[in-house]
């Protein structure tokens, strides 16, 4: 019990400090995006900026869901407390695997108003800064609760298959298979919230080249919640979209809830 307590407390403290400092992304990073059928699927859970950051261990109290989905079959990720990487298992299936990880709710208080404003600008939710004031809230005290909904696409063996909606509160759904489809015209994704498409919202794409350099590009969804992303063979990608919600303040509770959706994948040479 003491070990669990240390792991949970340490992870929660680090995440709160990191996110309070800036808008850090949360993503699943496979060691290999294409895995032989009899080889282990290994992936890290990461938080950071521009695909660089800290790695989180396997700590069940810190997540609500951690699964691998292949052809509609949901396989729970099992591990031991403190395992790094957090995912290391032979799935014994062939096809396109969608790894999904949903965190628990975390609370934070921004260190100052300027940090909140930078976050709102970065994620294209500047309306929240204005609404904070019109709601009559303390302009210098901003409290938020946030939850992360991460997915990753991995080819097991032939990698044949498709990503689907997994019923997450918010998620990014790939509408092409990056390992088997022709992506010369782009990679289509759809951003969802509570089962409905999110129209006219920002999608942030982190493009990692083989030499480790990262380029960031911004897109917007259309009326159907879709965005077409430019991709390059040999590169790895993180797609990110944030939903901000107003919530009634109760005592010292949060005035805001943010919901983060992410998707990682790679495009073969």
């Amino acid at each position: 019990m003491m070990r669990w307590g240390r792991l949970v407390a340490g992870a929660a403290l680090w995440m709160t400090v990191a996110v309070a400092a800036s808008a850090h992304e949360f993503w699943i990073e496979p060691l290999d995006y294409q895995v032989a059928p009899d080889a282990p699927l290994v992936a890290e859970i990461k938080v950071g900026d521009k695909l660089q950051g800290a790695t989180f261990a396997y700590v069940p109290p810190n997540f609500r869901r951690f699964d691998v989905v292949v052809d509609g079959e949901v396989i729970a990720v099992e591990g031991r407390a403190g395992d790094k990487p957090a995912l290391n298992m032979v799935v014994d299936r062939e096809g396109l695997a969608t790894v999904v990880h949903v965190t628990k709710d975390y609370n934070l208080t921004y260190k100052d108003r300027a940090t909140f404003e930078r976050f709102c600008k970065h994620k294209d939710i500047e309306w929240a800064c204005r609404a904070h004031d019109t709601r009559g809230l303390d302009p210098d005290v901003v409290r938020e609760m946030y939850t992360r909904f991460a997915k990753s696409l991995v080819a097991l063996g032939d990698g044949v298959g498709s990503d689907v909606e997994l019923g997450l509160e918010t998620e990014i759904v790939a509408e092409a298979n990056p390992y088997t489809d022709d992506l010369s015209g782009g990679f289509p994704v759809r951003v969802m919230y509570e089962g409905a498409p999110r129209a006219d919202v920002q999608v942030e794409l982190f493009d990692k080249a083989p030499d480790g350099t990262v380029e960031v590009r911004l897109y917007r969804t259309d009326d159907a919640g879709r965005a077409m992303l430019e991709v390059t063979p040999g590169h790895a990608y993180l797609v990110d979209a944030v939903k901000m919600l107003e919530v009634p303040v109760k005592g010292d509770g949060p005035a805001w809830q943010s919901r983060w959706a992410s998707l990682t994948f790679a495009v073969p040479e």
Side-chain angles (χ1 to χ4, degrees), residues 23 41 95 115 126 136 140 205 208 246:
L41 170 53
T115 302
E126 291 176 283
D140 299 317
L205 180 69
K208 187 174 184 178
E246 295 185 24

Side-chain angles (χ1 to χ4, degrees), residues 25-49:
E25 276 63 46
F26 179 95
W27 71 97
I28 301 166
E29 185 171 303
L31 271 63
D32 293 298
Y33 282 93
Q34 294 176 281
V35 179
D38 58 348
L41 170 53
V42 183
E44 297 178 325
I45 304 299
K46 305 195 76 171
V47 171
D49 184 45

Side-chain angles (χ1 to χ4, degrees), residues 121-142:
K121 183 176 182 179
H122 177 193
K123 295 303 182 182
D124 191 40
I125 50 174
E126 291 176 283
W127 65 267
C129 289
R130 298 188 295 271
H132 191 85
D133 297 329
T134 59
R135 293 172 66 189
L137 301 171
D138 187 331
D140 299 317
V141 179
V142 182

Side-chain angles (χ1 to χ4, degrees), residues 5-253:
R6 293 193 193 101
L7 284 169
V8 175
L13 175 61
W14 191 94
M15 184 176 281
T16 298
V17 171
V19 176
S22 61
H24 281 62
E25 276 63 46
F26 179 95
W27 71 97
I28 301 166
E29 185 171 303
L31 271 63
D32 293 298
Y33 282 93
Q34 294 176 281
V35 179
D38 58 348
L41 170 53
V42 183
E44 297 178 325
I45 304 299
K46 305 195 76 171
V47 171
D49 184 45
K50 294 184 178 179
L51 292 172
Q52 298 292 325
T55 302
F56 281 5
Y58 180 91
V59 183
N62 282 353
F63 61 80
R64 295 175 178 169
R65 180 175 179 180
F66 197 4
D67 298 314
V68 180
V69 182
V70 185
D71 193 24
E73 182 180 1
V74 179
I75 305 163
V77 173
E78 297 182 356
R80 296 178 301 177
D83 277 354
K84 281 188 179 183
L87 170 56
N88 188 345
M89 60 186 283
V90 176
V91 178
D92 194 26
R93 301 290 188 280
E94 191 162 358
L96 182 68
T98 302
V99 184
V100 56
H101 186 101
V102 178
T103 71
K104 70 175 187 178
D105 295 334
Y106 287 92
N107 290 297
L108 73 91
T109 300
Y110 285 84
K111 65 178 182 179
D112 52 38
R113 175 59 179 253
T115 302
F116 181 57
E117 291 178 349
R118 286 195 299 272
F119 165 67
C120 290
K121 183 176 182 179
H122 177 193
K123 295 303 182 182
D124 191 40
I125 50 174
E126 291 176 283
W127 65 267
C129 289
R130 298 188 295 271
H132 191 85
D133 297 329
T134 59
R135 293 172 66 189
L137 301 171
D138 187 331
D140 299 317
V141 179
V142 182
R143 296 187 178 93
E144 178 187 322
M145 182 174 71
Y146 62 95
T147 314
R148 315 286 199 145
F149 302 83
K151 294 169 61 177
S152 184
L153 304 180
V154 181
L156 304 179
D158 60 22
V160 173
S162 59
D163 185 27
V164 295
E165 290 183 48
L166 297 177
L168 308 184
E169 181 178 349
T170 185
E171 63 181 298
I172 297 171
V173 181
E175 297 196 324
N177 184 325
Y179 309 106
T180 62
D181 294 350
D182 179 6
L183 304 181
S184 58
F187 184 73
V189 297
R190 196 175 194 190
V191 183
M192 310 293 292
Y193 179 73
E194 293 187 334
R198 295 189 61 202
D200 192 29
V201 297
Q202 176 177 290
V203 174
E204 193 167 7
L205 180 69
F206 298 83
D207 179 333
K208 187 174 184 178
D211 64 3
T213 58
V214 176
E215 178 186 354
V216 182
R217 298 192 296 276
L218 300 179
Y219 296 81
R220 296 201 74 80
T221 60
D222 62 15
D223 291 343
R226 291 187 174 92
M228 186 66 75
L229 312 177
E230 180 184 353
V231 296
T232 303
H235 290 216
Y237 294 91
L238 163 64
V239 191
D240 176 89
V242 176
K243 171 78 171 179
M244 182 68 94
L245 303 167
E246 295 185 24
V247 293
V249 179
K250 299 179 181 178
D252 291 332

